[in-house]
Amino acid sequence: MIHIRFSDNHYGGEIDLSGTPGDLRSIHQSIIELLQAEDVQVCIPANEVDPAPYDSCLNSFLIRKSDCSLKVMVAGSSLKIEGTPEKLEVFADWFNFDNSTESGYHHHFDYYEGNEWLDPGSISLVISVQ
């Protein structure tokens, strides 16, 4: 099961989404299945854990098809990612970890100037292997 920790007190916020390589590949698969379905969104539950060193935990991960640039945000108690199917398909690959990936390995999914895929208002996302 995945864990989602959140702090909004620095640089516009940061989210850490973590899980085993299998948990993270499951997110990859959920995104791919969403893109092949008529559904507009999928919601993946998250376990609550000690949020330290972050401020709080979010209880779900909502992935939604839209006609906008990829955007990472917090909506209520959920991590929400929305974007075009093309951009969501690229984003799905960020969750494709091999079983041999060591705990602590992580990616930073952040906006940078000139990035045409990610909305500049997006919150920084760290995808971590437990």
Side-chain angles (χ1 to χ4, degrees):
M1 174 90 32
I2 62 171
H3 304 118
I4 307 170
R5 296 170 176 93
F6 171 62
S7 287
D8 63 0
N9 58 1
H10 62 294
Y11 304 112
E14 182 175 89
I15 298 168
D16 178 76
L17 187 159
S18 63
T20 66
D23 294 333
L24 298 173
R25 278 195 315 277
S26 178
I27 293 172
H28 173 269
Q29 187 61 39
S30 292
I31 295 171
I32 298 303
E33 289 172 4
L34 171 65
L35 297 175
Q36 297 169 352
E38 295 294 322
D39 298 334
V40 175
Q41 67 184 26
V42 64
C43 187
I44 301 167
N47 273 354
E48 195 162 319
V49 293
D50 178 4
Y54 292 83
D55 297 329
S56 62
C57 287
L58 303 176
N59 63 21
S60 62
F61 181 20
L62 182 66
I63 304 147
R64 182 173 175 78
K65 291 188 252 185
S66 72
D67 60 357
C68 64
S69 291
L70 205 57
K71 186 166 186 180
V72 179
M73 64 196 105
V74 172
S77 60
S78 295
L79 164 58
K80 182 178 177 185
I81 308 264
E82 66 178 27
T84 64
E86 174 189 40
K87 292 176 180 174
L88 287 172
E89 184 175 11
V90 171
F91 178 67
D93 284 339
W94 284 72
F95 295 92
N96 204 5
F97 289 90
D98 186 80
N99 277 340
S100 64
T101 306
E102 292 186 25
S103 178
Y105 182 82
H106 62 280
H107 298 300
H108 289 263
F109 190 77
D110 301 320
Y111 175 79
Y112 55 87
E113 188 150 346
N115 184 337
E116 296 177 6
W117 285 83
L118 190 59
D119 185 282
S122 290
I123 296 174
S124 178
L125 175 64
V126 179
I127 303 166
S128 307
V129 175
Q130 293 177 344

